[in-house]
Amino acid sequence: MQRQGELQVQLVWEKRPDKSTNSTDKLKDDIRTDTNRDSTVDITGLSNSNDKNEWSADSGAIFLPDIGDTNRRCSNALLKGPAVSNEKFDKCNDAFDNSMRSEQFVAPLRTIPMPGLPNDASGRVSIKDPVQRNQAYVDGNSTFSTASLREHLVFGIDGSHAHCPDGWDDPVTITFDVQSCLDSLSDKVILRTHTHLYLVQQIIAVKGNEISEPWLVRFSKNFLTAVTESGLEGELYFFHDRDDIWAQDFMEPDAASLPSPDSPISLQIMICTSQNERVAGKQVFEYHHDTGIGAVQQLGGAREEIKSGGNIETIPAYEFSDTSWPAGRLILGNHGEQEHFMLLFF
């Protein structure tokens, strides 16, 4: 069973010959990723070698919590059976098992070719932290042969959770070890999830019921007209009523993104309310979960208004009047000293 807050990392690999690197007298193992966030992994220069074990708002490799549901594979299945447990909701995402479904959400890693290795050499890619490596997976075998190490290995990494309280705090360290009769070598690189600026992609409201809430139906129609006339390219999505008309209270949107050559690859993250009894929030799993749209929950909050989604808002990275917020901002509403339960999530 996967406990909330633990990280699943999926590593997939292939070997690619690289004739641009010559053998050197001194062996060195070297694993790299997109540390400088220019959407490429440099294995010939040093742009992704320097500071690869440090991370800041402006530098450091990024990977995504791959918690979308490609083509609504598991979300559709949830709707066909009886009432679904919270545990099944948590397992409904692309990265929960070892299948590759949306390769675009996987962050790349590379190893530098080691043509001078002796024939008895072997290598291993691992996650040594006990929390980070829970359910870690390497396609095929986590130990690589001399022939593979002499060539250029290509990996990918994704995570199965967004940031969760009482668990891992986003960063993950990938270690590359090589053993041979000549030496024991080790190298590592750090990645973590991160939020970037993204454009409006979707506007959300509750549709309403023609009989019991005709006023809400009128509002929804007028809202649709206003969105269309505003020129916003984002589509309007309507949740079902379920006796809860306050979309801003039973869910909260967030996002994560990954650099790419053309534009950032973004993943929407829909956060279900922490209020256990507020079942309308489950719709983010049942109906909204899709390719590129993740869903996550952190339950445990009582049905108190302070814990509603409307009391916590996320803003993507932006700049204003010579001040920048590269990680975005979080806006909270408190009741005296009582804080929002979801604050732990962020």
Side-chain angles (χ1 to χ4, degrees):
M1 180 184 299
Q2 182 173 357
R3 299 191 302 275
Q4 195 165 35
E6 292 181 330
L7 171 69
Q8 175 179 332
V9 170
Q10 178 167 271
L11 290 167
V12 295
W13 74 282
E14 58 180 311
K15 56 183 181 180
R16 295 182 182 175
D18 190 303
K19 303 182 183 300
S20 63
T21 304
N22 297 321
S23 176
T24 59
D25 294 332
K26 185 177 180 180
L27 292 175
K28 179 182 179 181
D29 67 338
D30 192 341
I31 185 169
R32 300 183 186 182
T33 186
D34 184 16
T35 302
N36 63 351
R37 303 180 189 171
D38 66 352
S39 75
T40 61
V41 180
D42 178 11
I43 63 169
T44 58
L46 298 177
S47 63
N48 290 145
S49 179
N50 299 326
D51 302 324
K52 65 181 181 180
N53 290 310
E54 299 178 6
W55 208 97
S56 69
D58 301 314
S59 177
I62 297 168
F63 74 102
L64 290 178
D66 194 8
I67 54 175
D69 181 24
T70 299
N71 300 324
R72 292 186 48 79
R73 171 190 57 89
C74 61
S75 299
N76 284 331
L78 294 180
L79 294 172
K80 295 178 181 179
V84 178
S85 67
N86 288 322
E87 183 181 25
K88 286 188 176 180
F89 280 128
D90 285 335
K91 293 179 179 180
C92 182
N93 61 60
D94 285 345
F96 185 78
D97 60 18
N98 299 327
S99 299
M100 179 61 65
R101 297 186 176 90
S102 292
E103 186 177 353
Q104 68 270 29
F105 298 121
V106 175
L109 297 97
R110 308 284 189 268
T111 64
I112 302 301
M114 304 177 71
L117 279 177
N119 292 332
D120 70 332
S122 65
R124 183 176 179 83
V125 174
S126 62
I127 302 164
K128 295 186 176 181
D129 182 275
V131 175
Q132 295 175 4
R133 73 165 181 256
N134 183 62
Q135 298 190 40
Y137 173 75
V138 178
D139 190 9
N141 195 308
S142 58
T143 301
F144 302 102
S145 67
T146 304
S148 298
L149 296 171
R150 286 171 177 167
E151 297 179 346
H152 171 199
L153 299 182
V154 180
F155 297 83
I157 177 174
D158 63 5
S160 67
H161 275 290
H163 177 94
C164 290
D166 303 322
W168 64 287
D169 188 26
D170 291 339
V172 58
T173 300
I174 306 295
T175 303
F176 177 39
D177 294 312
V178 176
Q179 303 285 334
S180 74
C181 61
L182 298 180
D183 207 349
S184 296
L185 307 171
S186 184
D187 192 32
K188 62 183 180 180
V189 63
I190 292 177
L191 304 92
R192 69 182 300 169
T193 58
H194 190 45
T195 301
H196 285 269
L197 178 64
Y198 58 97
L199 299 176
V200 174
Q201 296 177 323
Q202 197 167 59
I203 301 166
I204 294 172
V206 175
K207 189 173 184 179
N209 186 290
E210 288 278 4
I211 298 176
S212 60
E213 296 152 345
W215 54 271
L216 182 57
V217 174
R218 289 195 301 272
F219 168 82
S220 298
K221 291 179 179 178
N222 292 336
F223 188 43
L224 177 59
T225 300
V227 170
T228 303
E229 293 177 350
S230 72
L232 285 174
E233 295 182 0
E235 65 173 335
L236 182 59
Y237 180 88
F238 286 107
F239 280 113
H240 300 287
D241 189 335
R242 285 196 176 180
D243 299 324
D244 195 335
I245 65 173
W246 308 109
Q248 75 272 24
D249 285 337
F250 62 68
M251 52 78 64
E252 177 64 27
D254 200 357
S257 64
L258 190 69
S260 72
D262 299 322
S263 61
I265 297 174
S266 62
L267 175 72
Q268 296 180 41
I269 300 176
M270 312 305 290
I271 306 170
C272 175
T273 176
S274 63
Q275 298 163 310
N276 293 10
E277 299 175 1
R278 202 158 197 165
V279 296
K282 306 300 182 185
Q283 293 181 82
V284 300
F285 290 95
E286 297 168 329
Y287 299 103
H288 202 61
H289 209 183
D290 206 337
T291 306
I293 303 177
V296 66
Q297 61 182 353
Q298 177 60 34
L299 299 176
R303 181 65 185 266
E304 300 170 346
E305 293 309 312
I306 178 61
K307 297 178 175 63
S308 296
N311 274 341
I312 188 166
E313 299 296 333
T314 57
I315 302 176
Y318 73 102
E319 296 182 3
F320 180 74
S321 296
D322 299 324
T323 302
S324 64
W325 291 268
R329 301 184 77 182
L330 189 65
I331 300 177
L332 292 169
N334 292 341
H335 290 179
E337 296 182 355
Q338 187 180 10
E339 295 182 338
H340 201 295
F341 184 83
M342 287 296 292
L343 180 60
L344 295 172
F345 184 92
F346 297 95

